[in-house]
Amino acid sequence: MAKFTAAILAATAASASAFAPTPTTTTTATTSLSEFANGMVGSEGPEPMPFRWDGSKTSVDFDPVGFAERAPEWLNWFREAELKHGRQAMLATVGLVVPEFVRVPGAQFSFDAIPNVLDAHDALLDTSMKQILLWVSLAEVMTLGALSNMNEFDRSPGDFGFDPMGLYPNDPKKQEEMKLKELKNGRLAMIAIGGMITGSSITGHGFPYL
Protein backbone atom coordinates (compact mmCIF):
# COMPACT_ATOMS: atom_id res chain seq x y z
CA MET A 1 0.00 0.00 0.00
CA ALA A 2 2.90 2.36 0.80
CA LYS A 3 4.39 1.77 -2.64
CA PHE A 4 1.02 2.41 -4.28
CA THR A 5 0.58 5.66 -2.33
CA ALA A 6 4.07 6.78 -3.36
CA ALA A 7 3.22 6.08 -6.99
CA ILE A 8 0.08 8.22 -6.73
CA LEU A 9 2.02 11.11 -5.19
CA ALA A 10 4.63 10.89 -7.94
CA ALA A 11 1.96 10.98 -10.63
CA THR A 12 0.29 13.94 -8.95
CA ALA A 13 3.57 15.84 -8.79
CA ALA A 14 4.16 15.18 -12.47
CA SER A 15 0.72 16.50 -13.39
CA ALA A 16 1.31 19.59 -11.24
CA SER A 17 4.47 20.38 -13.18
CA ALA A 18 2.33 20.35 -16.32
CA PHE A 19 1.10 23.82 -15.42
CA ALA A 20 4.56 25.21 -14.77
CA PRO A 21 5.37 28.49 -16.54
CA THR A 22 7.18 28.28 -19.81
CA PRO A 23 9.63 30.75 -21.36
CA THR A 24 7.93 33.83 -22.75
CA THR A 25 9.30 33.38 -26.24
CA THR A 26 6.56 34.27 -28.68
CA THR A 27 6.01 31.97 -31.66
CA THR A 28 4.02 33.65 -34.37
CA ALA A 29 2.83 32.75 -37.82
CA THR A 30 5.64 34.86 -39.33
CA THR A 31 8.30 32.39 -38.20
CA SER A 32 9.90 30.58 -41.10
CA LEU A 33 8.38 27.18 -41.77
CA SER A 34 11.86 25.84 -42.49
CA GLU A 35 11.83 25.15 -38.74
CA PHE A 36 9.03 22.66 -38.27
CA ALA A 37 6.09 23.92 -36.18
CA ASN A 38 7.98 27.09 -35.26
CA GLY A 39 10.56 25.03 -33.41
CA MET A 40 8.13 23.67 -30.80
CA VAL A 41 9.21 20.56 -28.91
CA GLY A 42 7.59 17.25 -29.71
CA SER A 43 8.43 16.81 -33.38
CA GLU A 44 11.33 14.49 -32.65
CA GLY A 45 11.11 10.90 -33.89
CA PRO A 46 13.19 7.95 -32.66
CA GLU A 47 13.93 6.86 -36.23
CA PRO A 48 13.15 8.59 -39.54
CA MET A 49 10.59 5.96 -40.50
CA PRO A 50 8.89 6.92 -43.78
CA PHE A 51 5.11 6.86 -44.01
CA ARG A 52 4.97 7.95 -47.67
CA TRP A 53 6.30 5.80 -50.49
CA ASP A 54 8.45 8.62 -51.87
CA GLY A 55 10.09 9.17 -48.48
CA SER A 56 9.01 12.82 -48.35
CA LYS A 57 7.38 12.33 -44.94
CA THR A 58 8.87 10.48 -41.98
CA SER A 59 8.25 10.01 -38.26
CA VAL A 60 10.43 13.06 -37.66
CA ASP A 61 8.30 16.21 -37.92
CA PHE A 62 5.28 13.90 -37.95
CA ASP A 63 2.35 15.80 -39.46
CA PRO A 64 0.65 13.54 -42.00
CA VAL A 65 -2.34 15.86 -42.49
CA GLY A 66 -0.15 18.94 -42.89
CA PHE A 67 -1.64 21.16 -40.18
CA ALA A 68 1.67 22.97 -39.58
CA GLU A 69 1.99 23.84 -43.26
CA ARG A 70 -1.62 24.72 -43.97
CA ALA A 71 -2.45 26.70 -40.84
CA PRO A 72 0.75 28.12 -39.26
CA GLU A 73 -1.25 30.88 -37.58
CA TRP A 74 -3.06 28.19 -35.56
CA LEU A 75 0.05 26.41 -34.30
CA ASN A 76 -0.12 27.94 -30.83
CA TRP A 77 -3.79 27.02 -30.56
CA PHE A 78 -3.05 23.46 -31.68
CA ARG A 79 -0.33 23.11 -29.02
CA GLU A 80 -2.58 24.66 -26.36
CA ALA A 81 -5.31 22.13 -27.19
CA GLU A 82 -2.84 19.24 -27.20
CA LEU A 83 -1.41 20.21 -23.82
CA LYS A 84 -4.85 20.68 -22.29
CA HIS A 85 -6.08 17.30 -23.49
CA GLY A 86 -2.83 15.63 -22.46
CA ARG A 87 -3.03 17.08 -18.95
CA GLN A 88 -6.64 16.01 -18.61
CA ALA A 89 -5.75 12.52 -19.80
CA MET A 90 -2.87 12.22 -17.32
CA LEU A 91 -5.20 13.13 -14.48
CA ALA A 92 -7.90 10.84 -15.89
CA THR A 93 -5.65 7.77 -15.95
CA VAL A 94 -4.84 8.29 -12.27
CA GLY A 95 -8.50 9.06 -11.50
CA LEU A 96 -9.64 5.84 -13.14
CA VAL A 97 -7.20 3.60 -11.27
CA VAL A 98 -7.11 5.10 -7.76
CA PRO A 99 -10.85 4.53 -7.00
CA GLU A 100 -10.27 0.83 -7.60
CA PHE A 101 -8.36 0.82 -4.30
CA VAL A 102 -9.46 3.90 -2.33
CA ARG A 103 -12.79 5.72 -2.16
CA VAL A 104 -13.75 9.07 -0.64
CA PRO A 105 -16.11 8.92 2.37
CA GLY A 106 -19.80 8.56 1.65
CA ALA A 107 -22.18 5.68 1.07
CA GLN A 108 -22.85 6.77 -2.51
CA PHE A 109 -19.14 6.38 -3.32
CA SER A 110 -18.62 3.02 -1.63
CA PHE A 111 -17.53 -0.17 -3.34
CA ASP A 112 -20.99 -1.63 -2.67
CA ALA A 113 -22.77 1.28 -4.33
CA ILE A 114 -20.42 1.47 -7.34
CA PRO A 115 -18.46 -1.78 -7.82
CA ASN A 116 -17.18 -0.70 -11.24
CA VAL A 117 -15.53 2.73 -11.42
CA LEU A 118 -16.75 3.20 -14.97
CA ASP A 119 -20.34 3.17 -13.69
CA ALA A 120 -19.68 6.21 -11.49
CA HIS A 121 -20.57 8.61 -14.30
CA ASP A 122 -24.18 7.45 -14.57
CA ALA A 123 -24.58 6.63 -10.88
CA LEU A 124 -23.52 10.12 -9.79
CA LEU A 125 -25.01 12.04 -12.69
CA ASP A 126 -27.25 14.22 -10.49
CA THR A 127 -24.66 14.93 -7.79
CA SER A 128 -20.91 14.77 -8.24
CA MET A 129 -20.94 14.96 -12.03
CA LYS A 130 -22.72 18.31 -11.91
CA GLN A 131 -20.04 19.66 -9.59
CA ILE A 132 -17.31 18.38 -11.90
CA LEU A 133 -19.03 20.01 -14.88
CA LEU A 134 -19.23 23.29 -12.96
CA TRP A 135 -15.53 23.34 -12.09
CA VAL A 136 -14.47 22.27 -15.58
CA SER A 137 -16.64 25.01 -17.10
CA LEU A 138 -15.12 27.56 -14.73
CA ALA A 139 -11.62 26.53 -15.74
CA GLU A 140 -12.54 26.80 -19.42
CA VAL A 141 -14.04 30.27 -18.98
CA MET A 142 -10.91 31.47 -17.18
CA THR A 143 -8.77 30.53 -20.19
CA LEU A 144 -10.92 32.22 -22.84
CA GLY A 145 -8.99 35.48 -22.63
CA ALA A 146 -5.66 33.78 -23.15
CA LEU A 147 -6.98 31.68 -26.02
CA SER A 148 -8.62 34.66 -27.74
CA ASN A 149 -5.30 36.53 -27.76
CA MET A 150 -3.04 33.57 -28.39
CA ASN A 151 -0.66 35.36 -30.76
CA GLU A 152 -1.03 38.85 -29.33
CA PHE A 153 1.29 38.76 -26.31
CA ASP A 154 4.24 36.89 -24.80
CA ARG A 155 2.52 33.76 -23.55
CA SER A 156 3.63 30.30 -24.52
CA PRO A 157 0.89 27.72 -25.19
CA GLY A 158 -0.18 26.00 -21.99
CA ASP A 159 1.51 28.54 -19.71
CA PHE A 160 -0.79 29.47 -16.81
CA GLY A 161 2.04 30.34 -14.43
CA PHE A 162 0.94 27.56 -12.07
CA ASP A 163 3.88 25.88 -10.38
CA PRO A 164 3.18 25.69 -6.62
CA MET A 165 5.87 23.07 -6.04
CA GLY A 166 8.57 24.92 -7.96
CA LEU A 167 9.30 21.98 -10.25
CA TYR A 168 9.99 24.05 -13.37
CA PRO A 169 13.76 24.49 -13.80
CA ASN A 170 15.53 27.76 -14.58
CA ASP A 171 17.97 26.30 -17.06
CA PRO A 172 16.56 26.73 -20.63
CA LYS A 173 17.83 23.28 -21.67
CA LYS A 174 16.13 21.65 -18.68
CA GLN A 175 12.98 23.61 -19.47
CA GLU A 176 12.88 22.15 -22.97
CA GLU A 177 13.39 18.67 -21.53
CA MET A 178 10.52 19.10 -19.09
CA LYS A 179 8.20 20.43 -21.78
CA LEU A 180 9.05 17.44 -23.96
CA LYS A 181 8.43 15.02 -21.08
CA GLU A 182 5.05 16.60 -20.39
CA LEU A 183 4.07 16.47 -24.04
CA LYS A 184 5.08 12.84 -24.52
CA ASN A 185 3.44 11.69 -21.30
CA GLY A 186 0.30 13.58 -22.27
CA ARG A 187 0.20 11.94 -25.68
CA LEU A 188 0.70 8.54 -24.09
CA ALA A 189 -2.04 9.23 -21.53
CA MET A 190 -4.52 10.24 -24.24
CA ILE A 191 -4.03 6.87 -25.89
CA ALA A 192 -3.95 5.04 -22.55
CA ILE A 193 -7.21 6.43 -21.18
CA GLY A 194 -9.00 5.37 -24.35
CA GLY A 195 -7.63 1.85 -23.98
CA MET A 196 -8.46 1.71 -20.28
CA ILE A 197 -12.07 2.75 -20.79
CA THR A 198 -12.47 0.41 -23.75
CA GLY A 199 -11.00 -2.50 -21.79
CA SER A 200 -13.24 -1.83 -18.80
CA SER A 201 -16.31 -1.56 -21.03
CA ILE A 202 -15.60 -4.80 -22.86
CA THR A 203 -14.55 -6.95 -19.92
CA GLY A 204 -16.75 -5.37 -17.26
CA HIS A 205 -13.79 -5.56 -14.88
CA GLY A 206 -11.78 -2.95 -13.06
CA PHE A 207 -8.03 -2.46 -13.12
CA PRO A 208 -6.16 -4.06 -14.89
CA TYR A 209 -9.25 -4.48 -17.10
CA LEU A 210 -8.67 -8.13 -18.00
Side-chain angles (χ1 to χ4, degrees), residues 88-100:
Q88 291 172 341
M90 285 188 283
L91 292 172
T93 53
V94 177
L96 195 62
V97 174
V98 171
E100 298 283 359

Side-chain angles (χ1 to χ4, degrees), residues 9-21 162-171 174-175 178-179:
L9 292 175
T12 305
S15 62
S17 68
F19 297 90
F162 182 76
D163 186 22
M165 301 179 67
L167 299 175
Y168 196 65
N170 295 321
D171 180 31
K174 296 293 184 181
Q175 291 176 352
M178 179 166 281
K179 288 193 290 184

Side-chain angles (χ1 to χ4, degrees), residues 11 18 28 30 39-40 47 87 100 116 152 156 163 173 176 178-179 187 190 200 205:
T28 63
T30 58
M40 292 180 177
E47 296 290 342
R87 291 166 178 172
E100 298 283 359
N116 191 331
E152 303 300 325
S156 297
D163 186 22
K173 184 177 180 180
E176 293 297 304
M178 179 166 281
K179 288 193 290 184
R187 290 170 174 173
M190 285 188 281
S200 181
H205 298 156

